[in-house]
Amino acid sequence: MAWIDLKDVLQRSVAGVYGDLVTRRTGQAVRCSIEQMLPPTDSDLDIIDFSTVRLMDHSCADEIVGKLLLQHGQARYFLLVGLDLSHVDAIAPVLERHALVVVAQDRAGTLQLLGTLPEPALRAFRLLADTGPAEPHEVAARLALSPAAAREALETLREHHVVREQAGHYQALRCA
Amino acid sequence: MTRVVEVPPHFDDRSFDQFAMSYGGGGGGGEGDRRRLLFDAHAAQWASPYGLLGLLTAGQALAEQNRERPLLTLPQDRDVLHYWTRTGFAEHAEVYFELHGRVPRVQARGDSDVLLEVTPVRGADDVHEVVHHIQERAATILTHELGLEAPATMGFGMALSEACQNIVEHAGTGGWVAVQTYTWRRRLGRRVVVIAVADAGVGFRRSLEATQAKRFGDRWGDAAALEAAMIQGMSRFRDPGRGQGLAGIRRYLNRWSGKLSVRSGTARMAMVPAWDDDVPLADQLPFFPGTQLLIIVPAHGE
């Protein structure tokens, strides 16, 4: 598992003084540094920690979240932690523009799905996040979905790498 | 021989077109007119950050055209001249103009109305510095004096960053930024914080010509270029993640009832809030080089 403190990456890769993620050039440099820090194993969880970042603009959000997910999101599992409202404001349009989805976890451990997915998938994620791992038939029963709709919703989440599937159980990404 | 360019007594975004007309010679000047210019600001009573940056941009444009260094007659009013100096304008004007009138020594007072003095923007490091300065120094002022909530202050930094990046990413030359607070008397009657960003660069039309002109056909021009950028989120880069800075600024200002105005070449497009009486689009304006951007965020809770 990689825990990537963004402010630390910023200060090592671009400048030792600044604490803000601004400008496209900085975003590119930080993203490249993150990519070098990612462990070779794809199956683990990669956590990107925004808690020490004061400000992030759209250009950095596009590089650090958008392009990182576009280039690695199909092979890796990313979890964003420490986001505040202003970070989400910068990230949300990026995700929408690229049709991406990512999981964010706040300090209380609450999971939030950022990005746009069909309604059944969003509801399924909420269920997994709130109640823990579940099989498709359990999701179908709890959400009053047909078995096929529940399975489709869970597979949509799995394909976007925001849940994992193991032995028929689907589990939302989470940092313990 | 010299040609006089009148600086409006009240110099802001509303009188800017008058200034641009005078700068362009009012029809009498043109590309072939190489007379030395005298910018006459002796009667100036007030200039917004937008006006001051416009003046600097004019000087910069002339320098980059290898024109003879223009003259600038400074305001006769002592208080006005002190204010122009306090904003940092005079220090940068000395580079581009031969100044007539003595620049007063002004001690830094840490006034709360000048949140960011006139600052050149040439590269990404400058944008970092500007944002850092505002977050460190101005956040408290924005919160306590203008009543902006924390999310509004953070978004302000984002808007400032994206506005300045337009210079770095697209202008093809350096530019300027300034941030101030003052009372917006026209209709609103409350304090505002203003970001002015200006450059003497290529402008939106030339920047987008290669990728967008064909799509617009005969309609292509400065106004169409602004539409492509501000409404459709188009960029000269083919990267689909590009072209979102202005959209981000618009979202921020929409949430906090702010105003965005972008002038480039002969057109100006604005996102006009209810408290303002500007027009969303003005075309066939007197030409002015580069791009001039204005962001206004009103105080809350007054």
Side-chain angles (χ1 to χ4, degrees), chain A residues 78-119:
Chain A
F78 288 103
L79 178 69
L80 311 186
V81 300
L83 294 175
D84 64 28
L85 270 176
S86 70
H87 300 145
V88 174
D89 277 348
I91 291 170
V94 168
L95 297 175
E96 187 178 332
R97 189 160 176 90
H98 294 296
L100 294 167
V101 183
V102 71
V103 184
Q105 181 173 334
D106 67 18
R107 289 177 191 180
T110 304
L111 296 181
Q112 181 186 2
L113 201 59
L114 302 180
T116 305
L117 283 178
E119 173 80 16

Side-chain angles (χ1 to χ4, degrees), chain B residues 212-284:
Chain B
Q212 300 299 316
K214 200 173 176 181
R215 191 162 68 86
F216 283 86
D218 290 340
R219 209 162 68 82
W220 182 247
D222 291 314
L226 285 175
E227 176 191 329
M230 288 180 67
I231 308 295
Q232 299 170 16
M234 294 297 160
S235 168
R236 67 187 179 97
F237 298 105
R238 297 203 183 271
D239 179 346
R242 294 280 194 153
Q244 297 309 296
L246 285 175
I249 294 172
R250 289 180 61 200
R251 269 192 303 273
Y252 167 70
L253 293 174
N254 199 43
R255 186 181 296 174
W256 301 103
S257 304
K259 176 180 181 178
L260 170 66
S261 171
V262 182
R263 193 190 197 284
S264 189
T266 60
R268 185 180 68 247
M269 185 168 279
M271 190 182 102
V272 185
W275 52 261
D276 193 48
D277 57 4
D278 201 351
V279 295
L281 175 66
D283 200 358
Q284 299 178 1

Side-chain angles (χ1 to χ4, degrees), chain B residues 172-239:
Chain B
T173 185
W176 312 89
V177 61
V179 183
Q180 287 180 33
T181 65
Y182 50 83
T183 301
W184 189 272
R185 300 193 189 284
R186 194 170 58 235
R187 285 180 82 182
L188 184 64
R190 76 170 87 141
R191 287 187 71 74
V192 297
V193 55
V194 171
I195 299 172
V197 177
D199 66 71
V202 301
F204 276 74
R205 177 181 179 161
R206 269 181 61 196
S207 176
L208 293 174
E209 198 132 72
T211 57
Q212 300 299 316
K214 200 173 176 181
R215 191 162 68 86
F216 283 86
D218 290 340
R219 209 162 68 82
W220 182 247
D222 291 314
L226 285 175
E227 176 191 329
M230 288 180 67
I231 308 295
Q232 299 170 16
M234 294 297 160
S235 168
R236 67 187 179 97
F237 298 105
R238 297 203 183 271
D239 179 346

